[in-house]
Amino acid sequence: MNHKLELRNVTKTFNTEEGEMEALEGISLVVKPNEFLCIIGPSGCGKTTLLRLVAGLDQPSSGEIILDGKEVIGPSPDRGMVFQEFSLFPWRTVLKNVEFGLEIKGMKDKARRELAEKYIELVGLKGFENCYPYELSGGMKQRVAIARALATEPAILLMDEPFGSVDAQTRNILQEELLEIWKRTKKTVLFVTHSVDEAVYLADRVAVMSARPGCLIKCLDIDIPRPRKRTSVEVNEFREQLLMLLSLERSKACISV
Amino acid sequence: MKEKKGLHFLKRRGIIETIGISTVVIIWQLVASFIVKKTYLLPSPYEVFFAFYTVREVILVDIYISLLHFGIGLGVGTAVGITLGALMGGFKLVDRAMDPIMEILRAIPPIAWIPFAIIWLKLTHYSAGFVVFVGAIFPILINTYTGFKSVDKIYIDAAKVLGCKKGMSLIKSVVLPYSLPYIAAGTRIGMGIGWMCVVAAEMFGASGRVGLGWRLWNRFYALHMMDKLVAYMIIIGLIALLLDRIFRYLVEERTLKWRKGMVAV
């Protein structure tokens, strides 16, 4: 099977006070198993909306989303999500946060703990199990969020600008770590970002979205072997292509506003 | 430098506080002994101290009875307050239906319920308990409601993605733990109001001839035994303080550790 996730002509319209607002228009996309796909687009183009639809947190107005041959109808732990905002439960320790999804599943204490500890170790936070989120830095919080999303062993990992609110150096480290985790867990990753650098460094393929109403205008295969060098010539060529596509979209957005 | 060193012992915990209390007691004693000179206008600390001794037997019974009234009212008030607050916070329909009536009921001072407390529940412990209930329920209800309403959407989304289906499991795993600090704060306020209500209800004899409030008004005030009356006032205050401290110790310091980083509790 070569389709992990398939979006068929997905649209999303929101009802606002000024009338209907079309957020997404006819999105069709296929994500392959074990692929790292980045979605990039000008701000307000509906990247986050798209990810929320795949997560099942919102319903598409039309079209269908199919994961492993089954239509997505609501949220489920087979799609792990890491949010842009800090989403750890502040009343739970790191361990308890990672255990959350397993608790809901009804897993036994001991098995739950072992699995949670495995993922905490995977994100490099061994020794912080009993810390509360307020004791952690922004980067550490997002690592816990990744561990929490992975703990339920989802079929796909959805990431909504997860490193948007950490500083640039930490972001570079987190990106490297994410690639390592991806390599080890062989997950399919759908990663939304507004950063061209991030997309080119991480992705197998980058899908570029247009300004609102968002639709896919181009998919680029980033066929640079890993580990990639952030400043290499090939990386820069891709960056230039993407930047050009995006600036074109931004100028369109300005005209339509 | 040397002088500072000499005063250094003052920094030890409790020293300054003891000096503060002692000063007030001494001034009180001097004013009572040399200026007022009438026990029924201002009993001196010395007289109050001996009053404690003479009331030592009844006071224990009265404390027990008043705490019983308080416990009945607070227990029922907490259970009903949290339940109603949760329902109003969780369901828009319930919120809209109940909000106006709650606002009206809340505006009525609990003491105004004493006549009905007596008529409905007769001169039993439940009667004073009912007045405590009316006093305690609203802060608990409103805080629970606020807690339920202010849950960040991101936590709900995160829980849903991790497998929480709508309804009970979301409330149990996310909404309730999130609201706990609100509920605790409401309960603390409710306890303070409830304790005032105990004394007031007992003064009116809502539960018959028992309790700290009843004796304070119907015995000590009626017979102008002001030294004993002051002793009771002090006990009433100390119990309120103690209840608050115990609650803070049990609830805030133990179960709400995680909140330290967010606000100063």
Side-chain angles (χ1 to χ4, degrees):
Chain A
M1 190 171 65
N2 220 16
H3 294 183
K4 186 72 184 174
L5 175 76
E6 190 182 355
L7 280 70
R8 285 189 200 145
N9 210 10
V10 170
T11 64
K12 179 70 185 171
T13 317
F14 288 107
N15 291 315
T16 61
E17 279 171 22
E18 293 107 55
E20 289 197 338
M21 198 269 283
E22 212 175 1
L24 295 173
E25 192 186 59
I27 303 251
S28 292
L29 179 70
V30 170
V31 186
K32 287 173 266 189
N34 197 19
E35 186 177 31
F36 200 124
L37 182 84
C38 274
I39 298 175
I40 196 167
S43 58
C45 73
K47 308 185 285 277
T48 296
T49 306
L50 183 63
L51 213 59
R52 288 179 63 87
L53 293 181
V54 178
L57 289 169
D58 289 320
Q59 305 303 321
S61 304
S62 71
E64 18 181 37
I65 298 166
I66 291 145
L67 178 74
D68 286 329
K70 272 181 281 177
E71 190 173 355
V72 166
I73 39 170
S76 141
D78 64 9
R79 278 153 284 137
M81 181 140 173
V82 180
F83 296 87
Q84 181 179 8
E85 308 99 304
F86 297 131
S87 63
L88 296 182
F89 303 121
W91 57 89
R92 285 173 167 251
T93 59
V94 167
L95 183 70
K96 289 280 168 195
N97 259 288
V98 178
E99 281 185 3
F100 187 92
L102 307 172
E103 252 176 66
I104 302 292
K105 260 188 185 172
M107 193 183 272
K108 289 256 160 45
D109 273 20
K110 205 167 157 256
R112 198 167 75 200
R113 206 192 162 92
E114 271 170 23
L115 203 58
E117 272 170 357
K118 179 182 136 194
Y119 283 103
I120 291 171
E121 201 175 337
L122 183 73
V123 297
L125 284 178
K126 206 172 170 195
F128 291 94
E129 288 89 345
N130 295 318
C131 288
Y132 282 91
Y134 77 87
E135 297 170 290
L136 306 177
S137 68
M140 287 159 93
K141 282 180 196 164
Q142 289 308 66
R143 281 185 215 180
V144 179
I146 292 171
R148 185 175 68 177
L150 288 172
T152 52
E153 313 204 304
I156 186 167
L157 190 58
L158 310 172
M159 307 186 85
D160 182 15
E161 298 191 36
F163 309 143
S165 43
V166 299
D167 65 87
Q169 279 155 41
T170 310
R171 188 182 313 160
N172 285 358
I173 296 167
L174 288 172
Q175 286 166 359
E176 281 159 34
E177 287 181 1
L178 177 63
L179 285 179
E180 191 57 38
I181 291 168
W182 171 66
K183 220 165 71 189
R184 279 211 252 166
T185 57
K186 299 192 171 63
K187 290 275 179 251
T188 311
V189 181
L190 193 56
F191 190 107
V192 161
T193 179
H194 61 263
S195 157
V196 170
D197 297 15
E198 190 164 63
V200 176
Y201 184 73
L202 291 174
D204 291 324
R205 199 150 58 99
V206 178
V208 185
M209 280 176 73
S210 70
R212 202 168 65 208
C215 59
L216 289 179
I217 47 174
K218 188 147 186 139
C219 274
L220 278 182
D221 283 306
I222 312 284
D223 47 3
I224 312 171
R226 294 189 178 88
R228 293 173 186 168
K229 205 157 172 285
R230 290 175 198 275
T231 47
S232 71
V233 179
E234 304 101 295
V235 164
N236 271 328
E237 276 167 4
F238 277 113
R239 281 174 55 190
E240 197 163 318
Q241 271 191 60
L242 285 169
L243 284 169
M244 234 156 66
L245 282 166
L246 285 174
S247 73
L248 218 70
E249 278 312 309
R250 256 198 306 279
S251 59
K252 262 198 247 166
C254 290
I255 293 162
S256 69
V257 168
Chain B
M1 278 306 279
K2 261 197 173 167
E3 281 161 346
K4 271 189 184 166
K5 243 187 183 171
L7 288 172
H8 199 260
F9 76 97
L10 283 176
K11 285 188 182 163
R12 291 233 311 270
R13 229 182 113 87
I15 302 267
I16 302 273
E17 288 80 352
T18 311
I19 291 173
I21 289 184
S22 312
T23 310
V24 171
V25 173
I26 290 167
I27 291 172
W28 173 11
Q29 179 72 50
L30 292 175
V31 171
S33 311
F34 298 106
I35 299 174
V36 181
K37 294 185 193 166
K38 285 182 182 122
T39 300
Y40 75 89
L41 279 184
L42 182 67
S44 73
Y46 179 76
E47 288 164 323
V48 171
F49 182 79
F50 275 97
F52 270 114
Y53 183 74
T54 54
V55 298
R56 68 191 181 281
E57 274 164 18
V58 285
I59 204 170
L60 289 177
V61 179
D62 285 339
I63 288 173
Y64 167 72
I65 296 289
S66 291
L67 283 176
L68 180 67
H69 297 162
F70 177 74
I72 292 170
L74 187 74
V76 181
T78 311
V80 178
I82 292 175
T83 311
L84 284 183
L87 286 173
M88 286 173 71
F91 302 97
K92 251 210 173 87
L93 207 69
V94 183
D95 184 11
R96 284 182 54 189
M98 298 212 341
D99 185 61
I101 189 75
M102 284 300 158
E103 286 297 307
I104 293 166
L105 288 178
R106 190 162 72 97
I108 302 170
I111 295 165
W113 285 94
I114 292 176
F116 271 114
I118 295 173
I119 288 174
W120 288 341
L121 298 161
K122 311 286 183 286
L123 300 182
T124 61
H125 295 313
Y126 298 107
S127 183
F130 177 77
V131 181
V132 175
F133 162 79
V134 176
I137 186 174
F138 292 106
I140 300 172
L141 187 154
I142 288 164
N143 269 40
T144 306
Y145 171 82
T146 310
F148 267 58
K149 277 277 174 195
S150 55
V151 179
D152 258 313
K153 200 173 172 300
I154 184 80
Y155 299 132
I156 302 283
D157 282 348
K160 279 187 185 168
V161 172
L162 289 163
C164 256
K165 299 274 178 285
K166 251 193 155 82
M168 274 319 282
S169 89
L170 267 178
I171 290 178
K172 193 177 134 257
S173 317
V174 180
V175 182
L176 208 54
Y178 183 93
S179 306
L180 222 49
Y182 290 86
I183 297 172
T187 308
R188 231 181 118 192
I189 299 167
M191 282 170 71
I193 299 175
W195 188 242
M196 289 183 218
C197 292
V198 170
V199 177
E202 288 169 353
M203 279 184 172
F204 279 88
S207 292
R209 305 171 155 214
V210 286
L212 291 165
W214 179 81
R215 200 171 306 277
L216 185 148
W217 183 256
N218 297 288
R219 279 286 173 274
F220 302 149
Y221 172 67
L223 301 174
H224 279 204
M225 299 155 117
M226 304 312 268
D227 48 347
K228 293 178 183 171
L229 194 148
V230 173
Y232 263 54
M233 284 170 68
I234 291 172
I235 280 294
I236 289 168
L238 286 178
I239 290 173
L241 187 67
L242 192 71
L243 288 171
D244 193 59
R245 285 292 155 91
I246 291 173
F247 183 79
R248 277 175 70 175
Y249 176 75
L250 287 180
V251 177
E252 290 185 350
E253 302 210 344
R254 287 193 179 183
T255 61
L256 307 180
K257 231 190 291 177
W258 61 270
R259 228 177 159 224
K260 267 185 203 153
M262 301 174 78
V263 285
V265 179

